[in-house]
Amino acid sequence: MNYEAKIKESETHVFKVVFPNTTNHHNTMFGGKVMEMMDEVAFMTATRFARKSFVTVSCDRIDFKKPIPADTLVELIGKVKYVGNTSVKVNIEIFIEEMYADTREKAVSGDFTLVAIDENKKPARIFEN
């Protein structure tokens, strides 16, 4: 399977409900909780792409465009954006959906860089030549 096919196959979609225990005093989701969910989906996407063990090494420019209110559904979509020798960059987008209406809008996006590691926790090549 070529890179393009692997990238397409590894696209990851996760849906969550925004419950009150994940919101702040404005009744919107905590930014740290949003970043945690994004990191988790980035990890899943990288793992599905390369079937290696990964650790997150950085996140680039997370843009919070819209607040994420309680009692909504969110979809997180992870897509491999770049593949290096030992690292992948995964773009994560979060969309908000009203539970009882046909509305959908992008709320957050950002990029996460993950490095493949071996059994000694040292960087490992993603694909052997």
Side-chain angles (χ1 to χ4, degrees):
M1 186 182 308
N2 64 25
Y3 269 17
E4 291 78 23
K6 286 182 97 41
I7 287 170
K8 186 172 172 52
E9 285 285 316
S10 67
E11 184 172 302
T12 302
H13 295 252
V14 174
F15 284 88
K16 301 263 189 184
V17 177
V18 181
F19 289 112
N21 67 328
T22 63
T23 61
N24 58 30
H25 60 290
H26 299 293
N27 209 29
T28 60
M29 189 173 260
F30 282 112
K33 181 65 177 172
V34 172
M35 292 171 65
E36 175 188 349
M37 292 187 324
M38 292 173 79
D39 187 30
E40 184 178 350
V41 173
F43 170 79
M44 285 187 249
T45 304
T47 301
R48 293 181 69 220
F49 173 73
R51 300 299 175 182
K52 299 276 185 178
S53 184
F54 280 93
V55 293
T56 303
V57 294
S58 70
C59 57
D60 302 332
R61 191 178 170 120
I62 297 175
D63 292 318
F64 294 85
K65 298 287 189 187
K66 302 256 183 207
I68 301 175
D71 303 323
T72 56
L73 302 171
V74 292
E75 179 183 17
L76 295 98
I77 302 172
K79 298 178 184 174
V80 172
K81 182 175 174 179
Y82 168 81
V83 181
N85 290 325
T86 62
S87 67
V88 294
K89 184 171 280 199
V90 178
N91 176 259
I92 305 294
E93 294 181 318
I94 300 180
F95 293 87
I96 306 168
E97 294 184 9
E98 296 292 327
M99 281 198 203
Y100 308 111
D102 268 341
T103 62
R104 179 180 169 88
E105 59 186 338
K106 187 175 2 178
V108 183
S109 62
D111 294 329
F112 287 73
T113 302
L114 298 96
V115 170
I117 57 171
D118 64 16
E119 59 279 347
N120 298 312
K121 298 189 177 23
K122 301 289 183 206
R125 290 188 65 78
I126 290 178
F127 297 110
E128 301 303 322
N129 292 335

